[in-house]
Amino acid sequence: MRMLLSSYADIARLGGDEFAVLIYDEHLHEPIEGVLEDILARIRAPFLYQGNSHCVSGSVGVRHFTVPCLHCDAEKLLHDADIAMYEAKKRGKNTYHIFTNAIACEAGRKIQIEQALQAIVMSRELNLNLQPIYCQKGQNLKGFEALLRWNSPTLGEVSPAEFIPIAEQCAKISELGRWVFDQALNFINAVGDSTLFVAVNVSPLQLQSQEFIDWLVSRCEDENVAMKQIKLELTESAMMAEENMLIGPLEQLHQAGFGIYIDDFGT
């Protein structure tokens, strides 16, 4: 980076593998995007270590500002650049992303959701919608799909597509998952028909917990619900991302009698 940038930038190591670069626009001989591509190309270049060729990846977040920046201190600028860097990582690494207000709003929204999840009162805010599943042209009811809905007192209706990934990141998914299964088991008992099933979405993080698997088996036994009446749905993308970690738990659940299904197939 010194070879590339030292004539028109200040470089600092923040710690570990994180660096900050302060670039002076007026000294650039090309658009900033070209400089960023050059940095990433240098980072990706293979190098020899102990006789073997290696390569590493990089992610770059950029925060533009003008001097004087009346509403930005150094900490805020670094924070914004950090948000942009994580956006670059989210988009596949080995790339850069430039900070925008849209990213800032998204980051702020994520913090709001995480805070609301930490304070959630499940019995008041969560609801499990049971969507019927028919076959034979709608003549025969086979079961139900459990759809989790959250009505936050501070945020209003929050989509599962938005709050489930955040719940996974902030270690709330196991607690949510147990609440969902409790409601599903209560529903099965209320219906009183052993031929019907309830399909429930599960997270890879839940499946990787032996404690959760033991709890689920125990709860079904306590509620006198046959394992075959619970169908576990796992998204195709999660299955592909965590395949090696999930084979053992899925086999264990399958042998116990639970149905295993792929959700969002083909995406």
Side-chain angles (χ1 to χ4, degrees):
M1 283 197 293
R2 283 199 184 107
M3 290 173 62
L4 275 173
L5 307 171
S6 61
S7 62
Y8 53 84
D10 295 324
I11 305 169
R13 183 180 181 187
L14 302 181
D17 60 353
E18 263 193 70
F19 298 83
V21 180
L22 180 61
I23 296 177
Y24 302 92
D25 281 353
E26 64 269 25
H27 296 156
L28 289 179
H29 301 297
E30 61 178 323
I32 186 66
E33 290 80 3
V35 176
L36 299 172
E37 292 286 3
D38 288 343
I39 293 172
L40 289 168
R42 290 293 182 95
I43 292 172
R44 287 194 297 263
F47 60 93
L48 286 175
Y49 178 70
Q50 294 186 350
N52 294 309
S53 179
H54 300 269
C55 60
V56 296
S57 63
S59 299
V60 182
V62 181
R63 171 60 153 95
H64 284 298
F65 70 98
T66 55
V67 179
C69 190
L70 300 177
H71 304 292
C72 301
D73 57 22
E75 186 176 351
K76 175 68 165 61
L77 293 171
L78 282 170
H79 174 265
D80 291 349
D82 207 42
I83 289 174
M85 180 189 69
Y86 279 102
E87 185 67 23
K89 287 186 176 182
K90 193 166 75 175
R91 297 185 181 209
K93 301 184 178 181
N94 263 325
T95 188
Y96 64 84
H97 200 81
I98 297 174
F99 179 85
T100 63
N101 287 332
I103 295 178
C105 291
E106 185 180 328
R109 169 77 172 174
K110 181 180 176 182
I111 291 171
Q112 288 179 328
I113 292 174
E114 184 172 338
Q115 291 172 341
L117 281 172
Q118 297 298 351
I120 194 171
V121 180
M122 296 191 186
S123 59
R124 295 180 189 171
E125 301 177 36
L126 295 180
N127 184 46
L128 200 65
N129 289 354
L130 283 304
Q131 177 175 284
I133 297 173
Y134 291 90
C135 73
Q136 295 180 353
K137 297 182 180 178
Q139 300 300 310
N140 191 7
L141 177 66
K142 285 294 188 180
F144 300 85
E145 180 171 10
L147 304 172
L148 181 60
R149 298 293 180 259
W150 177 27
N151 187 8
S152 165
T154 56
L155 301 175
E157 293 284 347
V158 187
S159 164
E162 191 175 20
F163 74 78
I164 291 296
I166 297 173
E168 291 176 334
Q169 293 167 13
C170 70
K172 201 72 176 178
I173 192 66
S174 179
E175 191 178 346
L176 289 176
R178 292 186 182 208
W179 186 89
V180 168
F181 276 105
D182 276 336
Q183 303 307 306
L185 292 172
N186 290 340
F187 175 78
I188 289 173
N189 276 333
V191 170
D193 187 337
S194 62
T195 66
L196 297 178
F197 66 83
V198 173
V200 182
N201 284 89
V202 289
S203 159
L205 293 179
Q206 291 172 276
L207 295 178
Q208 290 174 41
S209 167
Q210 185 61 47
E211 181 184 355
F212 176 80
I213 293 174
D214 293 342
W215 174 88
L216 180 56
V217 172
S218 176
R219 285 291 290 122
C220 288
E221 292 172 347
D222 292 343
E223 294 294 328
N224 251 349
V225 172
M227 313 299 182
K228 67 179 181 180
Q229 289 185 266
I230 299 290
K231 299 191 183 300
L232 306 175
E233 293 193 357
L234 187 66
T235 63
E236 181 184 26
S237 55
M239 185 72 190
M240 291 173 68
E242 306 287 345
E243 181 180 358
N244 292 333
M245 299 293 290
L246 295 179
I247 291 173
L250 289 175
E251 284 183 345
Q252 184 180 349
L253 288 163
H254 180 65
Q255 289 169 8
F258 295 97
I260 310 293
Y261 290 80
I262 298 178
D263 200 11
D264 295 342
F265 184 72
T267 56

